[in-house]
Amino acid sequence: SGAIAYIRQHKAHGLGHAVWCARRLLDPKEPFAVILPDDVIAAEKPCLQQMVEAYEELGGNGSMVAAMEVPADKVSSYGVLDVDKDMGSTVSAKGMVEKPAPGTEPSNLAVIGRYILDPSVMKNLHTMKTGAGGEIQLTDAIADEIGTERGVYGYRFEGQRFDCGSKAGFLQATISFGLSRDDLRDELQTFLDELSAERAAAQ
């Protein structure tokens, strides 16, 4: 068991501001993790655990973001990495852009809602610099670390990601997790098969 503390973001000033609101709960000398709950990742080894292991292999220094390739027509909805060196599962970044305009994105390697951040990122957030959408962007505070001795890395995680910030993504996650459970699989699969047959007959 462990203690849980809750902090309320009183105004919607962006993700960076939400993270900044938790500053007094953190050790100012230690890296910290951020998990965005609307990004649900199904994986045999939890995504954040994968990242912690990769982060330690890099020497436990700098900042690391979860990353995945996304279709070209979806890139402008994400923070995107400009890759310096591609080392396979891990890449080093020479830039990060939040919600780039279509056609301007440096890659299709998008940042997903898992982060291990150097404490200096919190100092960057403290400047309250606004970015895309007039909000305080976490991406910008992380990007400020690029070019320092600490550096920024992307980690291509193993697993399936569901965007539960959308209704369709939430439903897809529910069905996928239901089908993965021994006590639900057969009944749910029967329902889906019957539903699919009914829809086909109606056409």
Side-chain angles (χ1 to χ4, degrees), residues 68-81:
M68 64 179 283
E69 275 86 6
V70 299
D73 62 339
K74 303 287 186 184
V75 174
S76 60
S77 298
Y78 295 89
V80 180
L81 295 176

Side-chain angles (χ1 to χ4, degrees), residues 23-42:
R23 65 198 180 281
R24 292 190 178 91
L25 299 178
L26 302 173
D27 185 330
K29 297 180 181 178
E30 294 292 330
F32 60 98
V34 176
I35 298 174
L36 304 188
D38 57 346
D39 274 327
V40 175
I41 299 171

Side-chain angles (χ1 to χ4, degrees), residues 162 169-181 188 191-192:
F162 299 94
F170 176 78
L171 291 170
Q172 291 164 9
T174 301
I175 292 169
S176 180
F177 279 90
L179 290 173
S180 71
R181 289 182 49 151
L188 181 55
F191 168 76
L192 292 172

